[in-house]
Amino acid sequence: MLLLNDDYTTMDFVVEILESIFHKQPAEAFRIMMAVHTQGKGLCGVYHTRWRKRKWRLSKSGAREHGFPLRAAMEPE
């Protein structure tokens, strides 16, 4: 699953999502967030379809609750 860069979602919020939904340690979450920021996308993890969809939904709903347009993409298996 990938997180995609946008011009509105804050770096701190991306780190928060990575730590809370994807269970990344702070240093790994920061590294992924920087990849999203500098390269346009960052790999959050590789998951079975069911978990990938769940994490995608949780990410999107969490972002909407905080007013962010966080974008995520699910790569096919």
Side-chain angles (χ1 to χ4, degrees):
M1 184 165 160
L2 301 168
L3 288 183
L4 307 175
N5 192 35
D6 65 65
D7 292 334
Y8 303 101
T9 306
T10 64
M11 293 178 178
D12 289 337
F13 185 75
V14 172
V15 169
E16 182 180 322
I17 288 290
L18 289 165
E19 290 177 356
S20 64
I21 294 174
F22 295 95
H23 306 289
K24 301 297 182 186
Q25 294 298 314
E28 179 71 2
F30 182 81
R31 185 194 66 72
I32 295 168
M33 177 276 297
M34 287 305 296
V36 172
H37 181 66
T38 61
Q39 299 168 22
K41 61 185 174 183
L43 181 64
C44 304
V46 178
Y47 304 97
H48 185 271
T49 302
R50 187 178 110 206
W51 286 108
R52 185 174 54 210
K53 288 179 181 177
R54 178 173 167 71
K55 290 183 181 289
W56 182 82
R57 282 193 306 268
L58 288 170
S59 300
K60 297 295 280 184
S61 65
R64 270 188 247 114
E65 287 176 14
H66 288 87
F68 294 118
L70 179 69
R71 298 182 310 144
M74 294 187 291
E75 297 282 318
E77 288 187 74

